[in-house]
Amino acid sequence: TSAQALAALLRDLGTEPRRVPDHPDAAAALLRSLLAPTRTLLVLDDAATAAQVRPLLPAGPGCAVIVTSRSPLTALDGARRFPLSPLTGDDSAALLRAVSGRAGLDADHPLVHLTGRLPLALRVVAARLAARSALTPDVLAHQLAATEGRLHHLEYDDLSVRRSLAVAHDALAASDREADRDAALALRRIGALDLPAYGAPLIARLTGTDERRAEAALDRLVDVALLEETAYGRYAPHDLVRDFARELSLRPDPAPGGPPVSRLPDPRLPASRFPAPSPSAPRPSVGGTETPAAIETALHWYAATAERALVAIVEPGLDQDDRRRPTAAQPPEHAAHVAATPPFESTEAAFAWGDLELPNIVTLVERHAGDPAHDHRTAAYVSTLIRLLFPYVHRSGRVAEMEVLGSAALDAARRLGDPAAEAYALGDLAGLHFLTGRQGDALALNDRALEIWRRLGVVSWIRRCLNNRGLLLEGLGRYAESEAALRQSLTYSRQLNDPHGEAVTYSHLGNLYEHTDPRAAIEQHRRSLAIGVSVGAVIVQHSAHCNIGYAYLTLGEPASAARHFEESLRILGGHGDWHGESQTRLGLVRALRLLGHGDRAVRECAELLRRADARADHYTGGLARHQHGLLLCAQGLHERACAEWRTALAALDGTDETAVTAELRELLGTAGARC
């Protein structure tokens, strides 16, 4: 305490113990008077709070103080703060070499990464290497790479990463402050769930508090260096803290209002006196009493919020209603969770939430969807979550995530014996294949979904599958079959009184007519546009203008095409439709190139490539590089053009984009001598 520290300092400065004032203010005044005429550097190590430090600060101009703390102590006035980040790779390697006596350890050695470049962890590793000549750095790195045993291997003599972390956690858990106890509980829940990053809304659900308290708890964990705020409102633990939090999640919760239950050794005693966890102990993701509850709570919240995002992203109508309609396996309590979840204020807010939380959702699904240890309810929530989330994922163009989620949804639906959920998953996977240029694969999946919907008699989904079938057959050059499917879809749209579906089908009929009569194609797209305007369907309007632009390119009228592509992008705004946006930008690049606006075309192409690469969308990237190569060739940069074309050809390998790949091979053959 401050009083104890004051008494110790005064005695060290020569004050007789009986003359040390009992009152802390008097003791602080005496300390300041004794230090005032001196040049003294005072070091206060491991301070807990600003209040603990203030009485110890000297006032003399010749004095200075260094305070080390897990907390930022931002309430101390006039202090200069020096946050200590992990060591650099080179400094980490230098510390390892100096303490261990092992030459050849450099910044690229796995030990540097596995210790997180934290000085204490590096010091423990180096001490172990110094003590055991037969233990090689590579063997120790292999031991540390087994996540379950990492903290066990980061203890030596009186040095222990686990105990260092426990000091911070146990102080929070034993605190009288609500925010501190909330922070300790939050860390336990973080260990149980073990996701890439966290925000206050999820932590509030996991801890049973409100978002204000959850945010305060997360901020306290940042204060004591158990979390890092990676972006505003987003928090993530260091890898070693993750290991510690997993261990915490295996302990029983402390009794309400009682002292923390601790199985960690007293930090004042040597680690060798206490048994360490076995390196082969299972991760909490498959064990631990609170882990299944944390997983279910997270899935509840993600599924409910995904439905709120769906409402914000998909325009009102049959598309939204059908996607929200429960399948047989949807948990009955889901509706109550949705009712308790606030709606999004805008489409942009829903997309922003999805962008933040998608890595967490993919982690949850990958880890738990196919785990036989989890029950029917987990599979049901996974199926429900993915069904409701997929419109966001599809419109965002998150190709890699679509594959993970779509496959997991299909597996869950089949395990649940839920045919409607299976049809959703098949259709969603068909959408993935369409986005990545594998139209034949998409057609096969779509037809399997169509067969299920026909068996279930769901007319609205029969219509959608027929519409998609027509689109895919047109892309495969099977024009007569395409028109037959689209005409059937149009009939169903009229039966359902579904103008939105009718508008989409007119758009696809326009794409079909473009092969034979571009003017007739434009008329179909204008019919689609008129319906889109009448029902306020933004995506329909944006798509219609994009498709009209392509029809004008076919007619050799790039100026008209460019105007429609620009209008398409303007209408889209922040609504999000990666396929539509990417096709529009691709068409705009083509129109600008044909108009001789090379500089702007290059800028637009670079932006398209940036967006495609951010989504790991190699198919769109290949189409964009095809155009970029043409622009480079027009500038006389033949070697760079050929390099782009080769990359494009590799990206489009295995797709059904035969016309572009044929042109790329021809371009490379013609330009080969110059490249």
Side-chain angles (χ1 to χ4, degrees), residues 310-325 464:
L310 170 68
V311 171
I313 289 170
V314 178
E315 291 154 330
L318 267 179
D319 282 1
Q320 185 189 114
D321 294 343
D322 281 356
R323 181 65 69 156
R324 295 179 68 191
R325 186 173 294 113
R464 285 187 195 86

Side-chain angles (χ1 to χ4, degrees), residues 18 54-55 91 98 168 174 222 311 324 346-347 355 384 412 422 443 456 561 619 674:
R18 62 188 178 86
R54 281 197 190 93
D91 285 346
V222 171
V311 171
R324 295 179 68 191
S346 65
T347 301
D355 293 345
T384 301
E422 182 177 355
L443 179 63
L456 295 174
Y619 173 67
R674 289 178 291 181

Side-chain angles (χ1 to χ4, degrees), residues 112-422:
V112 172
H113 168 72
L114 289 166
T115 54
R117 297 181 284 115
L118 297 180
L120 177 59
L122 289 161
R123 182 69 179 81
V124 171
V125 165
R128 294 192 65 196
L129 290 172
R132 295 181 58 192
S133 59
L135 178 63
T136 68
D138 290 345
V139 168
L140 184 51
H142 179 74
Q143 293 172 346
L144 288 174
T147 304
E148 298 83 356
R150 181 154 37 174
L151 293 180
H152 169 66
H153 293 292
L154 291 176
E155 293 185 341
Y156 186 78
D157 201 354
D158 64 341
L159 301 176
S160 170
V161 172
R162 179 188 282 112
R163 286 204 313 278
S164 176
L165 297 171
V167 168
H169 166 266
D170 288 355
L172 293 171
S175 172
D176 293 331
R177 296 178 58 203
E178 178 183 74
D180 288 355
R181 296 193 303 275
D182 286 348
L185 179 60
L187 188 63
R188 294 166 58 83
R189 299 298 186 257
I190 285 170
L193 209 52
D194 194 18
L195 297 178
Y198 300 84
L202 176 57
I203 293 297
R205 273 63 177 185
L206 292 171
T207 57
T209 60
D210 57 40
E211 291 187 22
R212 177 195 61 79
R213 282 178 59 181
E215 186 173 4
L218 290 165
D219 287 342
R220 283 297 292 138
L221 289 171
V222 171
D223 286 346
V224 298
L226 289 174
L227 285 184
E228 178 186 0
E229 191 171 16
T230 55
Y232 181 72
R234 298 299 288 178
Y235 304 81
H238 185 280
D239 282 351
L240 297 180
V241 177
R242 285 185 185 279
D243 294 350
F244 176 71
R246 290 189 199 108
E247 291 185 359
L248 287 177
S249 71
L250 293 172
R251 304 189 206 168
D253 274 338
V261 177
S262 180
R263 293 180 183 171
L264 296 175
D266 188 320
R268 297 166 296 181
L269 300 176
S272 58
R273 293 187 54 186
F274 295 86
S278 166
S280 60
R283 283 182 59 170
S285 58
V286 294
T289 56
E290 72 180 67
T291 300
I295 294 165
E296 187 169 310
T297 298
L299 290 172
H300 287 176
W301 180 69
Y302 278 122
T305 314
E307 181 157 343
R308 290 298 195 184
L310 170 68
V311 171
I313 289 170
V314 178
E315 291 154 330
L318 267 179
D319 282 1
Q320 185 189 114
D321 294 343
D322 281 356
R323 181 65 69 156
R324 295 179 68 191
R325 186 173 294 113
T327 68
Q330 178 171 301
E333 66 272 22
H334 171 74
H337 288 295
V338 176
T341 303
F344 287 100
E345 296 179 355
S346 65
T347 301
E348 291 85 351
F351 275 105
W353 172 83
D355 293 345
L356 281 177
E357 297 294 347
L358 187 57
N360 283 354
I361 293 171
V362 170
T363 298
L364 268 176
V365 167
E366 282 188 307
R367 190 178 294 155
H368 304 296
D371 192 336
H374 296 306
D375 59 14
H376 183 281
R377 286 171 57 80
T378 301
Y381 259 103
V382 165
S383 175
T384 301
L385 165 60
I386 298 173
R387 169 172 56 82
L388 295 168
L389 185 73
F390 220 88
Y392 152 75
V393 184
H394 186 272
R395 289 199 181 181
S396 297
R398 304 295 288 267
V399 173
E401 292 88 345
M402 286 174 69
E403 188 151 16
V404 172
L405 296 176
S407 299
L410 185 58
D411 178 68
R414 287 172 173 167
R415 285 200 291 135
L416 293 164
D418 187 339
E422 182 177 355

Side-chain angles (χ1 to χ4, degrees), residues 439-450:
Q439 312 223 23
D441 294 337
L443 179 63
L445 290 167
N446 180 77
D447 284 353
R448 285 162 62 189
L450 175 59

